[in-house]
Amino acid sequence: MIQDIAPYVLDNQYTPDLPNKDSFLLCFHGNEVLINISDDQIVFPRLKDLESMEENLQEGCTYLFSINSQSFYLANNIANSPGTGFTMANVEIFRTAQPQYLAFAGITAFQIFSWYQTRRFCGRCGKPMKHHDKERMMFCSECGLQEYPKLSPAVIVGIVDGNKLLMSRYSGRNYKKYALIAGFAEVGETIEETVKREVMEEVGLKVKNIRYYKSQPWAFSSTLLFGFYADLDGAKDITLDRNELEFAEWFNREDIPVCDTAISLTNEMIMRFRENKE
Ligand SMILES: [Zn+2]
């Protein structure tokens, strides 16, 4: 999966020193990132590549995280850098780019960038928010509001009926690969209740024997995904929520098509069922 970057290790402890000349700078503008791409291999600019572009660049950077001993920073206000070999590209590039640890760094940075973008002003009193100097937190010095990075818990459910798995496809999205049932947790429910509710809402089925598989941080939507398998409980007739799904069908284990993308929890769960390892 995209977060499986061993032997590299993400250290997301907030230690806000200034960047050094070799620190990677992540420069986002909307859904684009400043990057060098060659044969699907990505490289981010380092401070030394961009310091001629802007005065006080170093002081304007925000610490993100480190991978092994390499530090990553957000650099605001740099949307282009002619002549440096770096250009803006859509962040979707991170779904396929190599090396994977930089792609994971890229989407994780994008999640933090997106959160900072929406926390510039206090949601309670409207005054500008400030960076805390010890932890990744924004606070309002007027009213005291504290904001931490947003995570939205969600479930992915592989519904199993003996040798069959329920596979679906989302409506109205560009993403056309097979999916499992998925949805966000709502206020006041446990994650197991989310599983039951989403399955009932999207395909009209009851499930039992809910068993946890793995989790995945999915930065594109600030989501923390929890993957579960669950057994069908009762009738297998599907009542499709057409607002959410284009179709949902039972697939025999051996008929499940092999998908070559290895970044998502959904795909890993589908492939594990196919290989009879769930
Ligand atoms: Zn406030």
Side-chain angles (χ1 to χ4, degrees), residues 15-26 44-52 56-75:
T15 50
D17 297 327
L18 290 176
N20 60 48
K21 300 261 183 205
D22 287 318
S23 298
F24 281 131
L25 300 193
L26 278 292
F44 298 118
R46 296 172 191 270
L47 178 69
K48 63 189 175 191
D49 298 320
L50 301 181
E51 59 190 352
S52 64
N56 305 322
L57 176 62
Q58 192 182 34
E59 289 74 19
C61 289
T62 304
Y63 179 74
L64 288 168
F65 45 74
S66 297
I67 294 183
N68 291 8
S69 55
Q70 175 69 52
S71 55
F72 293 73
Y73 285 77
L74 269 183

Side-chain angles (χ1 to χ4, degrees), residues 122 124-127 129 140 142-145:
C122 177
R124 187 156 61 193
C125 78
K127 294 289 191 304
M129 297 285 271
C140 173
E142 283 292 313
C143 76
L145 183 72

Side-chain angles (χ1 to χ4, degrees), residues 15-192:
T15 50
D17 297 327
L18 290 176
N20 60 48
K21 300 261 183 205
D22 287 318
S23 298
F24 281 131
L25 300 193
L26 278 292
C27 313
F28 295 100
H29 190 72
N31 289 327
E32 296 194 318
V33 59
L34 190 66
I35 209 165
N36 177 284
I37 311 165
S38 172
D39 295 330
D40 256 356
Q41 297 283 316
I42 54 170
V43 179
F44 298 118
R46 296 172 191 270
L47 178 69
K48 63 189 175 191
D49 298 320
L50 301 181
E51 59 190 352
S52 64
M53 307 300 301
E54 189 178 307
E55 271 184 60
N56 305 322
L57 176 62
Q58 192 182 34
E59 289 74 19
C61 289
T62 304
Y63 179 74
L64 288 168
F65 45 74
S66 297
I67 294 183
N68 291 8
S69 55
Q70 175 69 52
S71 55
F72 293 73
Y73 285 77
L74 269 183
N76 302 321
N77 305 323
I78 296 183
N80 232 326
S81 58
T84 60
F86 295 92
T87 53
M88 299 303 283
N90 193 291
V91 294
E92 292 288 318
I93 187 90
F94 296 137
R95 289 178 185 270
T96 54
Q98 295 293 323
Q100 190 169 323
Y101 85 96
L102 286 184
F104 180 58
I107 62 163
T108 306
F110 181 64
Q111 176 174 355
I112 298 171
F113 161 76
S114 303
W115 173 72
Y116 279 131
Q117 284 266 298
T118 55
R119 295 297 183 280
R120 292 165 54 216
F121 298 96
C122 177
R124 187 156 61 193
C125 78
K127 294 289 191 304
M129 297 285 271
K130 295 177 178 168
H131 291 259
H132 195 271
D133 61 357
K134 298 248 174 1
E135 53 185 339
R136 184 167 290 120
M137 185 255 280
M138 301 289 284
F139 69 98
C140 173
S141 54
E142 283 292 313
C143 76
L145 183 72
Q146 299 180 346
E147 292 271 13
Y148 290 87
K150 179 184 137 188
L151 287 176
S152 303
V155 297
I156 292 176
V157 193
I159 309 170
V160 175
D161 183 24
N163 194 45
K164 294 178 192 293
L165 180 71
L166 190 76
M167 305 252 281
S168 61
R169 196 176 278 165
Y170 300 121
S171 298
R173 296 199 204 171
N174 291 331
Y175 189 75
K176 288 299 176 196
K177 294 199 172 78
Y178 289 110
L180 299 173
I181 299 306
F184 289 103
E186 301 224 350
V187 172
E189 69 185 5
T190 65
I191 206 77
E192 293 82 1

